[in-house]
Amino acid sequence: MRKLAWMAAALAVLALGQAQAQTPRKGGTIRFSAPYAASLNSLDIQTTPRAQDDIIGKALNRSLYSWDSAAGKVVLELAKDVAISEDGLVYVYKLRDDVYFHNGRKMTADDIIWSYTRIMDGSRGFPGARYIRMIKGAVDVEKNQAKEISGLRKIDDFTLEMTLTDKVEPGFYLFNGTTAILPKEEESRLTSHPIGLGPFKFVEHIPGSRVVAERWEKFYKPGKPYADRFVLLMMPEAAARDLAFRSKEIDTSILGPAQYVVYRGDPELSKGILEVAEMFTRSMQFNPAYKPFSDKRVRQAINYAVDTDLIIKRLVKDKAYRATSWLPSASPAFDKSIKPYPFDPEKAKKLLAEAGYPNGFEFEITTSANESWGLPIVEAMIPMLAKVGIKMKPKMVEVTVLTEVAMKGEHQAFIGSSLTGPDSLATLLCFYSKTPRTACNYTGFNDPAYDKLIDDAKQAVDPAKRNDLLRQANNLLYEAAPVWFFNYNKAVMAYQPWIHGLQANPTELTHQYVEDVWVDERSPAK
């Protein structure tokens, strides 16, 4: 009897412990690693399109919408409600009245209007302009033909009217970190001392080392954030992240292909792995200003000349999915009947000869050292392209420089990773001729038939009709091959047993809404 009582008591204690383990704990420090570069491009989140910068950006800032990973959709973040007109072009937002910037001032409709107008300053080439451009009058500001965005109207401090140019879901555009809402009065110091609306406020930035933030007590979500501090540590080297993770110096670590294999095979480390099929397409993008790449037969030839499946298997260790075209396979506009370019060197040689390059040609590819889509991939491609007469010479740059090179068009080709979701229209606008290079049209793609499909999709009210038009546009890109289609990323994050609340965010796994993340008492960081 005593034995049964002891067992019952033990089970009760165990059950209580398990229940407590699931109850968010207040306090402690969250320690993330920044895996993509040795530094940040900028702390002024509106100025930088780099995924690494928005890791800390999600702690410091907020946009009008956010991405709900559990529901798989965009949701209102800074507004309580929105009313939509019958024609689907006018949105009236009832903003939250309990949102404070880190300088203590309450956010109003004026801040959203100022932020979006700043982003559309054409002289500055802000990356978020591609998202704001769908607001009526935004392009006029971009072209310096107006000082104000006519499609934005303040009704009162907490009511904002937004008129769109096309029937789109603005949430898909306005959840991006580059559209974060910032305070006008702090503009002069946003790069050195960012002031935002996020759950943590800025404390310090040691370039090349770390960024530290602490809990913002006036954050608008009751009881959040859970942690006292958030620390982002710069760790671009996979070996350094591995050592730090094993030494319990960081709570999360993005795994590259080699680490993915090792962690998966380890009995303990395999218990803490979060995987997600991200909405990113890896590719080599061609600059048509370099003569050979103005001919689509040359671009197609490169797609035929590279054994992409072999690279994914041997180098990427299957931590990716073969890319068919630009849109990821999860997109409703993806055409499942289309197959990837097959490995066919003879076909590549024939296309090159037809294009006037029977003996091939030489070009320079700008690349970073990234192990998943950088120099190792380029090195694997070099002998494959050489067999069809193409000589490819790598030019190394830091990841922080790669985006600037792409935006300025200062390359013959470059290899990188691009966000290709969650909205298919916003994604395909990166090949629309009216989208400037600074926004995302890095290939300078210009095809009237493609533009017509995009214009028609913008006006389509029926979702099925819109998806069909976008499917046709995506298939046109497949045939035109403005890029070498490489892969869709499988993102993998290792996490310690004491960290909870991580989200499987397919728009970028490192972009965690950290107010929901917490650490239990086992964390060595107090």
Side-chain angles (χ1 to χ4, degrees), residues 45-97:
I45 199 62
Q46 289 183 358
T47 70
T48 172
R50 290 183 52 224
Q52 174 144 302
D53 299 348
D54 208 20
I55 302 175
I56 185 64
K58 285 290 182 285
L60 300 177
N61 303 295
R62 278 297 182 267
S63 300
L64 182 58
Y65 289 81
S66 61
W67 178 262
D68 186 331
S69 295
K73 63 180 183 179
V74 286
V75 296
L76 288 170
E77 178 70 24
L78 299 178
K80 297 183 291 186
D81 192 21
V82 60
I84 308 170
S85 63
E86 288 187 9
D87 64 4
L89 293 176
V90 181
Y91 284 64
V92 178
Y93 295 91
K94 193 62 181 177
L95 304 177
R96 299 183 64 123
D97 59 4

Side-chain angles (χ1 to χ4, degrees), residues 2 6 65 100 104 111 189 265 287 359 443 459 490 516:
R2 287 182 179 179
W6 175 86
Y65 289 81
Y100 291 85
D111 297 301
R189 65 173 187 150
N287 188 344
N359 299 315
T443 64
Q459 298 305 319
K490 179 197 291 185
D516 294 319

Side-chain angles (χ1 to χ4, degrees), residues 464-480:
K465 170 76 170 178
R466 172 174 292 185
N467 283 333
D468 182 61
L469 291 165
L470 295 175
R471 187 177 299 109
Q472 293 178 54
N474 191 49
N475 289 349
L476 189 153
L477 288 179
Y478 169 87
E479 196 271 337

